Amino acid sequence: RSPHANHVLQKCVAMLPPDCVRFVSDELAGHVREAARHPFGCRILERLLEHCPLWQTQGLALEILGDAPELSRHPYGNYVVQHVLEHGSADHRRAIALALTPEVRRLARHKIASNVVEKVLLYCGEEERQKLKEAMVGSAEELASLEHSNYGSFVVKEMRRR
């Protein structure tokens, strides 16, 4: 909980071989949801997802996936979900897209979650992207409404790029 210790752990994760920092992911196991919501814990999770092999972060990613919609709306948690999208497996990306789809109309307009929706459109496969687009925009009126919302406009721009 020290504001400085997280920098040491981040540097260790970034510089040391993954086997040497496995203790960090082992200690976080079962506490990922809390760590993802913490201003320092989220950074450590991000570094683990960036620098460790998938087999080492699989358990962490599964805990994140179990709470993806809520973490997507969280000021710190959203960055962790974005890191899973960028550095996780195709199965992780598919699971996040599936978890967000039922709420995607609301999430696309949300100040924080809209960033996660953009990343889903960027990193997911064509099938997941298409399902998300269909869930988000059912008609031309809904597309216009989303496009004219403060944060949804960025989602629409990303949607059009893909």
Side-chain angles (χ1 to χ4, degrees), residues 43-57:
R43 296 177 191 166
I44 295 166
L45 285 169
E46 290 169 17
R47 295 302 87 72
L48 288 167
L49 291 165
E50 289 170 6
H51 296 285
C52 294
L54 287 174
W55 62 265
Q56 191 171 332
T57 59

Side-chain angles (χ1 to χ4, degrees), residues 9-27:
L9 280 175
Q10 286 184 71
K11 193 57 113 172
C12 287
V13 170
M15 302 304 290
L16 294 173
D19 287 341
C20 293
V21 294
R22 182 157 189 187
F23 74 93
V24 178
S25 54
D26 291 346
E27 286 296 318

Side-chain angles (χ1 to χ4, degrees), residues 104-150:
V104 74
R105 285 185 182 168
R106 189 165 35 111
L107 296 173
R109 289 173 167 78
H110 190 273
K111 179 179 181 178
I112 295 167
S114 62
N115 295 301
V116 176
V117 175
E118 285 182 62
K119 296 292 185 192
V120 170
L121 292 168
L122 177 62
Y123 291 115
C124 283
E126 184 58 38
E127 184 179 335
E128 292 83 21
R129 205 177 302 136
Q130 194 57 40
K131 287 179 183 177
L132 201 70
K133 287 178 183 179
E134 289 170 6
M136 202 175 339
V137 184
S139 68
E141 295 83 28
E142 289 174 21
L143 177 62
S145 172
L146 181 61
E147 190 170 32
H148 289 95
S149 68
N150 287 339

Side-chain angles (χ1 to χ4, degrees), residues 68-100:
E70 187 176 324
L71 286 174
S72 295
R73 292 185 292 267
H74 192 273
Y76 302 117
N78 82 90
Y79 294 111
V80 176
V81 176
Q82 289 181 55
H83 268 67
V84 173
L85 287 164
E86 184 176 355
H87 301 284
S89 69
D91 287 338
H92 295 149
R93 288 187 283 276
R94 194 173 303 113
I96 290 174
L98 185 64
L100 299 184

